Amino acid sequence: MAAASSTSTPKALRREAVDTALAALGLDDKTRLLAGQDLWSLPALPAIGLRSLVMSDGPIGVRGVRWTAADPSVALPSPTALAATWDPELARRAGRLLAQEARRKGVHVLLAPTVNLHRTPLGGRHFEAYSEDPYLTGEIGTGYVRGVQDGGVATTVKHFVANDAETDRFTVNNTVAPRPLRELYLAPFERIVRNAHPWGIMAAYNQVNGSTMTEHRYLQNAVLRGEWGFDGFIVSDWLAARTTVGAITGGLDAAMPGPRTVYGEALADAVRAGEVDKKIVDLAVRNILLLAARTGALESAPPAVPAAALPATVDGDALAREIARRSFVLVRNEVRDGADALPLAPGTTVALSGALARDARVLGGGSALVFPDHVVSPLDGLTAALPEGALTYAVGADPSDELAIAEAGFDLTAVCRDVSGAVLATVPLPSGQIQWIGADLPDGVTHDTLDTVEITGTFITPRASGEHTFGTRGTGSFALTVDDRPLFDGTQDRAPGTDPLGAFFNEPVERGRLPLAEGAPVRVSLSHRPGPGTGHPLKGVAFSLVHLAPLRDPDELIAEAVEAARTADTAIVVVGTTERVESEGFDRTDLKLPGHQDALVHAVAAVNPRTVVVVNSGSPVELPWRNEVAAVLLSWFPGQEAGHALADVLRGQEEPGGRLPTTWPVALADVPVSATTPTNGELPYTEGVFIGYRAWEKAGTTPAYAFGHGLGYTTWEYVSVSATPDAVTVRVRNTGSRPGSDTVQIYLAPAPAPDAPERPARWLAGFARVTAAPGGSVEVTVPVEMRAYQVWDEEAYGWKTVPGTYEVQAARSLADVRATTTVDITA
């Protein structure tokens, strides 16, 4: 290679390094480079100075390549929480922290963000996506991608595209007309590609209009690469690549995971057989090499972010706490005894109840799961923040009466043995769940040598005397012993036709019950021998020890909480969902809170008029008691600093900063779009461009809480609004007695026009966060793009400006418009 010009830019040098590396590779190395070598990485090619490219979940933390708590991860609040901040710059800071975590763990590629839309609140992975609105989703996603890539780590924006539910996600054909596909589902991806230039995109499991996404030539080659100019790599969702020729000609660059994929040797054979043009393979390899160059994995290329240019170190605990409190959405705050229910007055006594106050759910399941080194529960946070004697706690109601992964009170270890019984490895476990996939095995263990895995240890502190239930989740043979008593010895097979990853999500099975005394430790042992292959090339060990404590009479639990609430100044009830209700791998069938949580709230509210309910869920749930209580605070899945952030907000040290990124219904029956289950393999998006608040307004139905809604601890006056087609200027004044922030939301409402296409009544066109002292005013100008006035013209195959008069609404939420003006748009 000739010496590079001294004036060559780093970008040009990377391109030159990629060209040189590509020219040095033979066909077999090229096709091997496109295939995962294990669960999380692509192979190294030392001859060209290429290190192995390492990928990792997930959206709120970086797990790394091992399913272990030995290398903990910062756990930020859920993506719905991040979107609830309505702050792309905060999302960028979150991304920088995650890049910092990725570099620490040797990860080059973060498998995030998820920018699918909340088409229906029943979507099981709703908590992992941002919003029902494509503009808000695109803006938060843009900030996130910029932040991660500021830190020299690649993102893979996912799941491209229309992967908006979990039911039959590997096979479903989502049929979407061109206009909603462009205006809704593709729109966040387009915005992020154009504004943040992500280095990766992940192709989804599902089909769109008859073509599986990993083979979708039109969407991946023509739209993503052609129209939008995307120059990164496209990776399959795990196990999503179906065929060799279809995938490579459809635009898929990397087939994950390995070691057996549709690429590698199979792709080399297809080229030699004349089924695939080697030039197509070269294009894919070039995309992988460019990824390596950008992330610093190609030795001859300058990385996109030199070490000297990396962002300053981010304090993970502090940022997790800030995001949480700024994501909390105060949807109700009524006056009681002459004062708002929140914030709590100094000296207030508090009766706290709800099992989730003690064992908070701070993150979602599946790809979003990481292992933080600590979790601050609401009980922990309030205990630390309130004066001694000001807080009492009662369980009140447990959201789950089902077996769950053994965790609280268990001290567990995994012992791996070969067929002779010799110990291969012993590793500590954070819970009773094991999920070792591919090469993700303890040091010294291989799939060939591993015969059995035993989860063994002590149930140290049973919280209650009585009959405890134990069970298993997974497939294969099990032998379960508790307190030296055998409870089960047998096998569990995988049901035919179930999700290939079902061992992570399937139903736990009860194996036995026995009486235990509170505080009396007992030995537990679950020995497991993995069953035969699951029909896909991914080897793994995935099973769980599950447990259920004695179920006390629900009425007794509620009565205890009611008695404590009766004499307290304020009652705080924490309610929410469980992983059996909300997680990856399945959709919800209803929006009800599990267990007797609704009954608990009704009962506490009946005796204490200053009842505050904290809702610990990643996505909407029904709140049938919402008008009976003084305040309702939505906390999402709030991350590892949940309790500290909650104490900050409840005590008024910080203001709840969140606004709803998705509409909260009164009841599922009111939801205008709810279908998640295919018929004969097909799920038609018959609602067209009407999802989320667009659909609610078309249906004329009033939700419990509108899109964009959220209260703070001060009040605001919208003094004036003026607009041009490309910007809206709003002046607001803080009319309250304390400093505060607001999110100014700009909606466009078109005047009726005889020749205009059917459109929503209005849509979000921009937003901005403002802050002011008491009595202070601030003016903000919000840009509005021409795309906001356009629709996708299916006949002309392009964006078409719709002329006419548009009302410009400056609002605090969709249901709280404060000032209006108009603009006239010409074609």
Side-chain angles (χ1 to χ4, degrees), residues 54 62 95-96 98-104 107-111 145-156 199 291 294-295 304-305 310:
V54 179
V62 183
R96 288 178 171 177
L98 295 176
Q100 175 180 298
E101 285 280 280
R103 294 193 308 272
R104 180 175 66 82
V107 169
H108 303 94
V109 181
L110 189 61
L111 301 172
V145 168
R146 284 174 172 166
V148 174
Q149 294 182 178
D150 285 346
V153 175
T155 55
T156 54
W199 300 342
L291 170 69
R294 284 168 161 165
T295 58
V305 184
L310 289 172

PDB file of all heavy atoms in Angstrom, residues 54 62 95-96 98-104 107-111 145-156 199 291 294-295 304-305 310:
ATOM      1  N   VAL A  54     -16.802  -7.935  19.231  1.00  0.00           N
ATOM      2  CA  VAL A  54     -17.626  -8.451  20.319  1.00  0.00           C
ATOM      3  C   VAL A  54     -18.899  -7.619  20.441  1.00  0.00           C
ATOM      4  O   VAL A  54     -18.849  -6.382  20.440  1.00  0.00           O
ATOM      5  CB  VAL A  54     -16.844  -8.433  21.645  1.00  0.00           C
ATOM      6  CG1 VAL A  54     -17.711  -8.946  22.792  1.00  0.00           C
ATOM      7  CG2 VAL A  54     -15.568  -9.262  21.518  1.00  0.00           C
ATOM      8  N   VAL A  62     -24.841  -2.850  29.896  1.00  0.00           N
ATOM      9  CA  VAL A  62     -24.012  -3.683  29.031  1.00  0.00           C
ATOM     10  C   VAL A  62     -23.690  -4.963  29.792  1.00  0.00           C
ATOM     11  O   VAL A  62     -22.894  -4.957  30.729  1.00  0.00           O
ATOM     12  CB  VAL A  62     -22.722  -2.946  28.628  1.00  0.00           C
ATOM     13  CG1 VAL A  62     -21.907  -3.809  27.668  1.00  0.00           C
ATOM     14  CG2 VAL A  62     -23.053  -1.597  27.988  1.00  0.00           C
ATOM     15  N   GLY A  95     -26.172   7.194  26.662  1.00  0.00           N
ATOM     16  CA  GLY A  95     -25.388   6.458  25.687  1.00  0.00           C
ATOM     17  C   GLY A  95     -23.894   6.517  25.981  1.00  0.00           C
ATOM     18  O   GLY A  95     -23.168   5.520  25.833  1.00  0.00           O
ATOM     19  N   ARG A  96     -23.414   7.677  26.420  1.00  0.00           N
ATOM     20  CA  ARG A  96     -21.990   7.796  26.747  1.00  0.00           C
ATOM     21  C   ARG A  96     -21.608   6.902  27.922  1.00  0.00           C
ATOM     22  O   ARG A  96     -20.525   6.300  27.944  1.00  0.00           O
ATOM     23  CB  ARG A  96     -21.653   9.252  27.042  1.00  0.00           C
ATOM     24  CG  ARG A  96     -21.645  10.133  25.795  1.00  0.00           C
ATOM     25  CD  ARG A  96     -21.359  11.586  26.114  1.00  0.00           C
ATOM     26  NE  ARG A  96     -21.152  12.363  24.895  1.00  0.00           N
ATOM     27  CZ  ARG A  96     -20.933  13.669  24.863  1.00  0.00           C
ATOM     28  NH1 ARG A  96     -20.893  14.348  26.000  1.00  0.00           N
ATOM     29  NH2 ARG A  96     -20.747  14.293  23.710  1.00  0.00           N
ATOM     30  N   LEU A  98     -23.112   4.083  28.652  1.00  0.00           N
ATOM     31  CA  LEU A  98     -23.126   2.708  28.174  1.00  0.00           C
ATOM     32  C   LEU A  98     -21.895   2.401  27.327  1.00  0.00           C
ATOM     33  O   LEU A  98     -21.374   1.278  27.354  1.00  0.00           O
ATOM     34  CB  LEU A  98     -24.412   2.449  27.385  1.00  0.00           C
ATOM     35  CG  LEU A  98     -25.692   2.540  28.228  1.00  0.00           C
ATOM     36  CD1 LEU A  98     -26.923   2.375  27.362  1.00  0.00           C
ATOM     37  CD2 LEU A  98     -25.683   1.507  29.344  1.00  0.00           C
ATOM     38  N   ALA A  99     -21.425   3.371  26.561  1.00  0.00           N
ATOM     39  CA  ALA A  99     -20.180   3.173  25.822  1.00  0.00           C
ATOM     40  C   ALA A  99     -19.013   2.959  26.780  1.00  0.00           C
ATOM     41  O   ALA A  99     -18.134   2.114  26.556  1.00  0.00           O
ATOM     42  CB  ALA A  99     -19.917   4.369  24.921  1.00  0.00           C
ATOM     43  N   GLN A 100     -19.003   3.709  27.857  1.00  0.00           N
ATOM     44  CA  GLN A 100     -17.970   3.553  28.887  1.00  0.00           C
ATOM     45  C   GLN A 100     -18.010   2.137  29.464  1.00  0.00           C
ATOM     46  O   GLN A 100     -16.965   1.485  29.638  1.00  0.00           O
ATOM     47  CB  GLN A 100     -18.228   4.592  29.975  1.00  0.00           C
ATOM     48  CG  GLN A 100     -17.360   4.537  31.199  1.00  0.00           C
ATOM     49  CD  GLN A 100     -17.766   5.645  32.165  1.00  0.00           C
ATOM     50  OE1 GLN A 100     -17.689   6.837  31.859  1.00  0.00           O
ATOM     51  NE2 GLN A 100     -18.231   5.261  33.357  1.00  0.00           N
ATOM     52  N   GLU A 101     -19.212   1.644  29.745  1.00  0.00           N
ATOM     53  CA  GLU A 101     -19.376   0.286  30.251  1.00  0.00           C
ATOM     54  C   GLU A 101     -18.933  -0.743  29.207  1.00  0.00           C
ATOM     55  O   GLU A 101     -18.308  -1.752  29.531  1.00  0.00           O
ATOM     56  CB  GLU A 101     -20.846   0.047  30.615  1.00  0.00           C
ATOM     57  CG  GLU A 101     -21.288   0.718  31.885  1.00  0.00           C
ATOM     58  CD  GLU A 101     -20.866  -0.083  33.098  1.00  0.00           C
ATOM     59  OE1 GLU A 101     -21.535  -1.068  33.446  1.00  0.00           O
ATOM     60  OE2 GLU A 101     -19.827   0.265  33.691  1.00  0.00           O
ATOM     61  N   ALA A 102     -19.271  -0.503  27.931  1.00  0.00           N
ATOM     62  CA  ALA A 102     -18.902  -1.427  26.866  1.00  0.00           C
ATOM     63  C   ALA A 102     -17.384  -1.520  26.735  1.00  0.00           C
ATOM     64  O   ALA A 102     -16.818  -2.624  26.623  1.00  0.00           O
ATOM     65  CB  ALA A 102     -19.536  -0.987  25.549  1.00  0.00           C
ATOM     66  N   ARG A 103     -16.715  -0.390  26.754  1.00  0.00           N
ATOM     67  CA  ARG A 103     -15.255  -0.414  26.644  1.00  0.00           C
ATOM     68  C   ARG A 103     -14.643  -1.170  27.819  1.00  0.00           C
ATOM     69  O   ARG A 103     -13.678  -1.934  27.657  1.00  0.00           O
ATOM     70  CB  ARG A 103     -14.701   1.012  26.583  1.00  0.00           C
ATOM     71  CG  ARG A 103     -15.085   1.775  25.331  1.00  0.00           C
ATOM     72  CD  ARG A 103     -14.250   3.044  25.170  1.00  0.00           C
ATOM     73  NE  ARG A 103     -14.240   3.894  26.347  1.00  0.00           N
ATOM     74  CZ  ARG A 103     -15.136   4.837  26.604  1.00  0.00           C
ATOM     75  NH1 ARG A 103     -16.133   5.053  25.754  1.00  0.00           N
ATOM     76  NH2 ARG A 103     -15.053   5.567  27.695  1.00  0.00           N
ATOM     77  N   ARG A 104     -15.205  -0.971  29.001  1.00  0.00           N
ATOM     78  CA  ARG A 104     -14.687  -1.673  30.184  1.00  0.00           C
ATOM     79  C   ARG A 104     -14.805  -3.182  30.034  1.00  0.00           C
ATOM     80  O   ARG A 104     -13.957  -3.934  30.515  1.00  0.00           O
ATOM     81  CB  ARG A 104     -15.460  -1.201  31.420  1.00  0.00           C
ATOM     82  CG  ARG A 104     -15.030  -1.851  32.724  1.00  0.00           C
ATOM     83  CD  ARG A 104     -15.747  -1.251  33.916  1.00  0.00           C
ATOM     84  NE  ARG A 104     -17.173  -1.500  33.919  1.00  0.00           N
ATOM     85  CZ  ARG A 104     -17.740  -2.626  34.355  1.00  0.00           C
ATOM     86  NH1 ARG A 104     -16.977  -3.627  34.784  1.00  0.00           N
ATOM     87  NH2 ARG A 104     -19.050  -2.768  34.356  1.00  0.00           N
ATOM     88  N   VAL A 107     -16.389  -4.703  24.781  1.00  0.00           N
ATOM     89  CA  VAL A 107     -17.487  -4.821  23.814  1.00  0.00           C
ATOM     90  C   VAL A 107     -17.364  -3.724  22.768  1.00  0.00           C
ATOM     91  O   VAL A 107     -17.178  -2.550  23.104  1.00  0.00           O
ATOM     92  CB  VAL A 107     -18.850  -4.728  24.541  1.00  0.00           C
ATOM     93  CG1 VAL A 107     -20.000  -4.570  23.556  1.00  0.00           C
ATOM     94  CG2 VAL A 107     -19.055  -5.957  25.420  1.00  0.00           C
ATOM     95  N   HIS A 108     -17.489  -4.101  21.495  1.00  0.00           N
ATOM     96  CA  HIS A 108     -17.410  -3.149  20.394  1.00  0.00           C
ATOM     97  C   HIS A 108     -18.775  -2.695  19.892  1.00  0.00           C
ATOM     98  O   HIS A 108     -18.889  -1.608  19.313  1.00  0.00           O
ATOM     99  CB  HIS A 108     -16.676  -3.766  19.196  1.00  0.00           C
ATOM    100  CG  HIS A 108     -15.299  -4.256  19.497  1.00  0.00           C
ATOM    101  ND1 HIS A 108     -15.032  -5.569  19.848  1.00  0.00           N
ATOM    102  CD2 HIS A 108     -14.105  -3.610  19.524  1.00  0.00           C
ATOM    103  CE1 HIS A 108     -13.733  -5.713  20.058  1.00  0.00           C
ATOM    104  NE2 HIS A 108     -13.150  -4.537  19.872  1.00  0.00           N
ATOM    105  N   VAL A 109     -19.796  -3.552  20.074  1.00  0.00           N
ATOM    106  CA  VAL A 109     -21.107  -3.308  19.470  1.00  0.00           C
ATOM    107  C   VAL A 109     -22.192  -3.509  20.514  1.00  0.00           C
ATOM    108  O   VAL A 109     -22.302  -4.593  21.109  1.00  0.00           O
ATOM    109  CB  VAL A 109     -21.360  -4.263  18.279  1.00  0.00           C
ATOM    110  CG1 VAL A 109     -22.716  -3.969  17.646  1.00  0.00           C
ATOM    111  CG2 VAL A 109     -20.249  -4.162  17.244  1.00  0.00           C
ATOM    112  N   LEU A 110     -22.996  -2.488  20.738  1.00  0.00           N
ATOM    113  CA  LEU A 110     -24.121  -2.578  21.665  1.00  0.00           C
ATOM    114  C   LEU A 110     -25.386  -2.887  20.868  1.00  0.00           C
ATOM    115  O   LEU A 110     -25.711  -2.200  19.895  1.00  0.00           O
ATOM    116  CB  LEU A 110     -24.284  -1.259  22.422  1.00  0.00           C
ATOM    117  CG  LEU A 110     -25.276  -1.242  23.575  1.00  0.00           C
ATOM    118  CD1 LEU A 110     -24.882  -2.240  24.652  1.00  0.00           C
ATOM    119  CD2 LEU A 110     -25.378   0.151  24.166  1.00  0.00           C
ATOM    120  N   LEU A 111     -26.098  -3.927  21.278  1.00  0.00           N
ATOM    121  CA  LEU A 111     -27.288  -4.374  20.549  1.00  0.00           C
ATOM    122  C   LEU A 111     -28.502  -3.569  21.014  1.00  0.00           C
ATOM    123  O   LEU A 111     -29.398  -4.063  21.692  1.00  0.00           O
ATOM    124  CB  LEU A 111     -27.481  -5.875  20.756  1.00  0.00           C
ATOM    125  CG  LEU A 111     -26.281  -6.715  20.289  1.00  0.00           C
ATOM    126  CD1 LEU A 111     -26.449  -8.169  20.689  1.00  0.00           C
ATOM    127  CD2 LEU A 111     -26.063  -6.594  18.791  1.00  0.00           C
ATOM    128  N   VAL A 145     -28.026   6.997  20.249  1.00  0.00           N
ATOM    129  CA  VAL A 145     -27.015   6.523  19.296  1.00  0.00           C
ATOM    130  C   VAL A 145     -25.817   7.461  19.275  1.00  0.00           C
ATOM    131  O   VAL A 145     -24.657   7.023  19.286  1.00  0.00           O
ATOM    132  CB  VAL A 145     -27.633   6.377  17.893  1.00  0.00           C
ATOM    133  CG1 VAL A 145     -26.553   6.173  16.833  1.00  0.00           C
ATOM    134  CG2 VAL A 145     -28.612   5.208  17.869  1.00  0.00           C
ATOM    135  N   ARG A 146     -26.071   8.756  19.262  1.00  0.00           N
ATOM    136  CA  ARG A 146     -24.954   9.709  19.287  1.00  0.00           C
ATOM    137  C   ARG A 146     -24.090   9.499  20.523  1.00  0.00           C
ATOM    138  O   ARG A 146     -22.854   9.546  20.458  1.00  0.00           O
ATOM    139  CB  ARG A 146     -25.498  11.132  19.259  1.00  0.00           C
ATOM    140  CG  ARG A 146     -26.000  11.585  17.896  1.00  0.00           C
ATOM    141  CD  ARG A 146     -26.644  12.960  17.994  1.00  0.00           C
ATOM    142  NE  ARG A 146     -26.974  13.510  16.674  1.00  0.00           N
ATOM    143  CZ  ARG A 146     -27.770  14.548  16.473  1.00  0.00           C
ATOM    144  NH1 ARG A 146     -28.340  15.152  17.519  1.00  0.00           N
ATOM    145  NH2 ARG A 146     -28.009  14.978  15.253  1.00  0.00           N
ATOM    146  N   GLY A 147     -24.741   9.275  21.673  1.00  0.00           N
ATOM    147  CA  GLY A 147     -23.981   9.118  22.903  1.00  0.00           C
ATOM    148  C   GLY A 147     -23.117   7.880  22.914  1.00  0.00           C
ATOM    149  O   GLY A 147     -21.945   7.929  23.292  1.00  0.00           O
ATOM    150  N   VAL A 148     -23.685   6.738  22.505  1.00  0.00           N
ATOM    151  CA  VAL A 148     -22.902   5.502  22.475  1.00  0.00           C
ATOM    152  C   VAL A 148     -21.729   5.647  21.514  1.00  0.00           C
ATOM    153  O   VAL A 148     -20.591   5.288  21.827  1.00  0.00           O
ATOM    154  CB  VAL A 148     -23.788   4.307  22.079  1.00  0.00           C
ATOM    155  CG1 VAL A 148     -22.941   3.052  21.903  1.00  0.00           C
ATOM    156  CG2 VAL A 148     -24.878   4.061  23.128  1.00  0.00           C
ATOM    157  N   GLN A 149     -21.994   6.211  20.327  1.00  0.00           N
ATOM    158  CA  GLN A 149     -20.937   6.321  19.327  1.00  0.00           C
ATOM    159  C   GLN A 149     -19.958   7.450  19.635  1.00  0.00           C
ATOM    160  O   GLN A 149     -18.820   7.417  19.175  1.00  0.00           O
ATOM    161  CB  GLN A 149     -21.550   6.411  17.940  1.00  0.00           C
ATOM    162  CG  GLN A 149     -22.257   5.110  17.577  1.00  0.00           C
ATOM    163  CD  GLN A 149     -22.872   5.037  16.203  1.00  0.00           C
ATOM    164  OE1 GLN A 149     -23.419   4.019  15.836  1.00  0.00           O
ATOM    165  NE2 GLN A 149     -22.821   6.098  15.431  1.00  0.00           N
ATOM    166  N   ASP A 150     -20.361   8.431  20.462  1.00  0.00           N
ATOM    167  CA  ASP A 150     -19.393   9.383  21.012  1.00  0.00           C
ATOM    168  C   ASP A 150     -18.276   8.641  21.734  1.00  0.00           C
ATOM    169  O   ASP A 150     -17.130   9.099  21.771  1.00  0.00           O
ATOM    170  CB  ASP A 150     -20.058  10.314  22.039  1.00  0.00           C
ATOM    171  CG  ASP A 150     -20.928  11.391  21.405  1.00  0.00           C
ATOM    172  OD1 ASP A 150     -20.835  11.611  20.180  1.00  0.00           O
ATOM    173  OD2 ASP A 150     -21.711  12.012  22.150  1.00  0.00           O
ATOM    174  N   GLY A 151     -18.641   7.518  22.345  1.00  0.00           N
ATOM    175  CA  GLY A 151     -17.686   6.724  23.106  1.00  0.00           C
ATOM    176  C   GLY A 151     -16.973   5.667  22.292  1.00  0.00           C
ATOM    177  O   GLY A 151     -16.326   4.781  22.868  1.00  0.00           O
ATOM    178  N   GLY A 152     -17.097   5.712  20.952  1.00  0.00           N
ATOM    179  CA  GLY A 152     -16.364   4.790  20.103  1.00  0.00           C
ATOM    180  C   GLY A 152     -16.933   3.394  20.034  1.00  0.00           C
ATOM    181  O   GLY A 152     -16.254   2.458  19.578  1.00  0.00           O
ATOM    182  N   VAL A 153     -18.189   3.215  20.454  1.00  0.00           N
ATOM    183  CA  VAL A 153     -18.854   1.918  20.441  1.00  0.00           C
ATOM    184  C   VAL A 153     -20.009   1.970  19.450  1.00  0.00           C
ATOM    185  O   VAL A 153     -20.731   2.978  19.387  1.00  0.00           O
ATOM    186  CB  VAL A 153     -19.361   1.545  21.849  1.00  0.00           C
ATOM    187  CG1 VAL A 153     -20.170   0.259  21.832  1.00  0.00           C
ATOM    188  CG2 VAL A 153     -18.180   1.434  22.814  1.00  0.00           C
ATOM    189  N   ALA A 154     -20.191   0.909  18.692  1.00  0.00           N
ATOM    190  CA  ALA A 154     -21.243   0.873  17.682  1.00  0.00           C
ATOM    191  C   ALA A 154     -22.596   0.589  18.305  1.00  0.00           C
ATOM    192  O   ALA A 154     -22.699  -0.086  19.338  1.00  0.00           O
ATOM    193  CB  ALA A 154     -20.932  -0.189  16.627  1.00  0.00           C
ATOM    194  N   THR A 155     -23.635   1.093  17.677  1.00  0.00           N
ATOM    195  CA  THR A 155     -25.010   0.725  18.015  1.00  0.00           C
ATOM    196  C   THR A 155     -25.586  -0.117  16.884  1.00  0.00           C
ATOM    197  O   THR A 155     -25.111  -0.075  15.748  1.00  0.00           O
ATOM    198  CB  THR A 155     -25.891   1.966  18.202  1.00  0.00           C
ATOM    199  OG1 THR A 155     -25.801   2.778  17.021  1.00  0.00           O
ATOM    200  CG2 THR A 155     -25.468   2.772  19.409  1.00  0.00           C
ATOM    201  N   THR A 156     -26.626  -0.888  17.206  1.00  0.00           N
ATOM    202  CA  THR A 156     -27.404  -1.584  16.185  1.00  0.00           C
ATOM    203  C   THR A 156     -28.864  -1.229  16.435  1.00  0.00           C
ATOM    204  O   THR A 156     -29.515  -1.784  17.322  1.00  0.00           O
ATOM    205  CB  THR A 156     -27.212  -3.107  16.256  1.00  0.00           C
ATOM    206  OG1 THR A 156     -27.498  -3.559  17.572  1.00  0.00           O
ATOM    207  CG2 THR A 156     -25.789  -3.493  15.903  1.00  0.00           C
ATOM    208  N   TRP A 199     -23.772   2.996  13.231  1.00  0.00           N
ATOM    209  CA  TRP A 199     -22.842   2.077  12.570  1.00  0.00           C
ATOM    210  C   TRP A 199     -23.468   0.706  12.360  1.00  0.00           C
ATOM    211  O   TRP A 199     -22.847  -0.148  11.728  1.00  0.00           O
ATOM    212  CB  TRP A 199     -21.569   1.949  13.402  1.00  0.00           C
ATOM    213  CG  TRP A 199     -20.861   3.260  13.593  1.00  0.00           C
ATOM    214  CD1 TRP A 199     -21.027   4.410  12.862  1.00  0.00           C
ATOM    215  CD2 TRP A 199     -19.884   3.574  14.586  1.00  0.00           C
ATOM    216  NE1 TRP A 199     -20.222   5.407  13.336  1.00  0.00           N
ATOM    217  CE2 TRP A 199     -19.499   4.932  14.397  1.00  0.00           C
ATOM    218  CE3 TRP A 199     -19.278   2.850  15.609  1.00  0.00           C
ATOM    219  CZ2 TRP A 199     -18.546   5.558  15.200  1.00  0.00           C
ATOM    220  CZ3 TRP A 199     -18.329   3.477  16.409  1.00  0.00           C
ATOM    221  CH2 TRP A 199     -17.974   4.806  16.208  1.00  0.00           C
ATOM    222  N   LEU A 291     -16.923  -1.479  10.171  1.00  0.00           N
ATOM    223  CA  LEU A 291     -17.323  -1.518  11.577  1.00  0.00           C
ATOM    224  C   LEU A 291     -16.096  -1.713  12.469  1.00  0.00           C
ATOM    225  O   LEU A 291     -15.925  -1.020  13.485  1.00  0.00           O
ATOM    226  CB  LEU A 291     -18.322  -2.649  11.800  1.00  0.00           C
ATOM    227  CG  LEU A 291     -18.668  -2.979  13.254  1.00  0.00           C
ATOM    228  CD1 LEU A 291     -19.464  -1.851  13.885  1.00  0.00           C
ATOM    229  CD2 LEU A 291     -19.432  -4.297  13.339  1.00  0.00           C
ATOM    230  N   ARG A 294     -14.039   1.499  12.566  1.00  0.00           N
ATOM    231  CA  ARG A 294     -14.655   2.541  13.383  1.00  0.00           C
ATOM    232  C   ARG A 294     -14.482   2.279  14.866  1.00  0.00           C
ATOM    233  O   ARG A 294     -14.299   3.206  15.665  1.00  0.00           O
ATOM    234  CB  ARG A 294     -16.144   2.643  13.030  1.00  0.00           C
ATOM    235  CG  ARG A 294     -16.425   3.349  11.715  1.00  0.00           C
ATOM    236  CD  ARG A 294     -17.860   3.169  11.254  1.00  0.00           C
ATOM    237  NE  ARG A 294     -18.224   4.186  10.254  1.00  0.00           N
ATOM    238  CZ  ARG A 294     -19.299   4.120   9.476  1.00  0.00           C
ATOM    239  NH1 ARG A 294     -20.110   3.070   9.552  1.00  0.00           N
ATOM    240  NH2 ARG A 294     -19.550   5.083   8.627  1.00  0.00           N
ATOM    241  N   THR A 295     -14.552   1.021  15.272  1.00  0.00           N
ATOM    242  CA  THR A 295     -14.516   0.681  16.697  1.00  0.00           C
ATOM    243  C   THR A 295     -13.117   0.380  17.203  1.00  0.00           C
ATOM    244  O   THR A 295     -12.944   0.039  18.382  1.00  0.00           O
ATOM    245  CB  THR A 295     -15.421  -0.526  16.979  1.00  0.00           C
ATOM    246  OG1 THR A 295     -14.986  -1.642  16.186  1.00  0.00           O
ATOM    247  CG2 THR A 295     -16.870  -0.215  16.662  1.00  0.00           C
ATOM    248  N   ALA A 304     -12.864   5.695  14.881  1.00  0.00           N
ATOM    249  CA  ALA A 304     -13.704   6.878  14.699  1.00  0.00           C
ATOM    250  C   ALA A 304     -13.562   7.851  15.864  1.00  0.00           C
ATOM    251  O   ALA A 304     -13.693   9.061  15.684  1.00  0.00           O
ATOM    252  CB  ALA A 304     -15.161   6.469  14.527  1.00  0.00           C
ATOM    253  N   VAL A 305     -13.299   7.313  17.053  1.00  0.00           N
ATOM    254  CA  VAL A 305     -13.111   8.163  18.235  1.00  0.00           C
ATOM    255  C   VAL A 305     -11.769   7.802  18.869  1.00  0.00           C
ATOM    256  O   VAL A 305     -11.662   6.771  19.539  1.00  0.00           O
ATOM    257  CB  VAL A 305     -14.248   7.986  19.251  1.00  0.00           C
ATOM    258  CG1 VAL A 305     -14.070   8.945  20.420  1.00  0.00           C
ATOM    259  CG2 VAL A 305     -15.607   8.178  18.598  1.00  0.00           C
ATOM    260  N   LEU A 310     -12.301  10.629  23.757  1.00  0.00           N
ATOM    261  CA  LEU A 310     -13.404   9.971  24.444  1.00  0.00           C
ATOM    262  C   LEU A 310     -14.031  10.912  25.467  1.00  0.00           C
ATOM    263  O   LEU A 310     -13.348  11.755  26.055  1.00  0.00           O
ATOM    264  CB  LEU A 310     -12.904   8.706  25.146  1.00  0.00           C
ATOM    265  CG  LEU A 310     -12.513   7.541  24.232  1.00  0.00           C
ATOM    266  CD1 LEU A 310     -11.849   6.438  25.034  1.00  0.00           C
ATOM    267  CD2 LEU A 310     -13.733   7.010  23.475  1.00  0.00           C
TER     268      LEU A 310
END
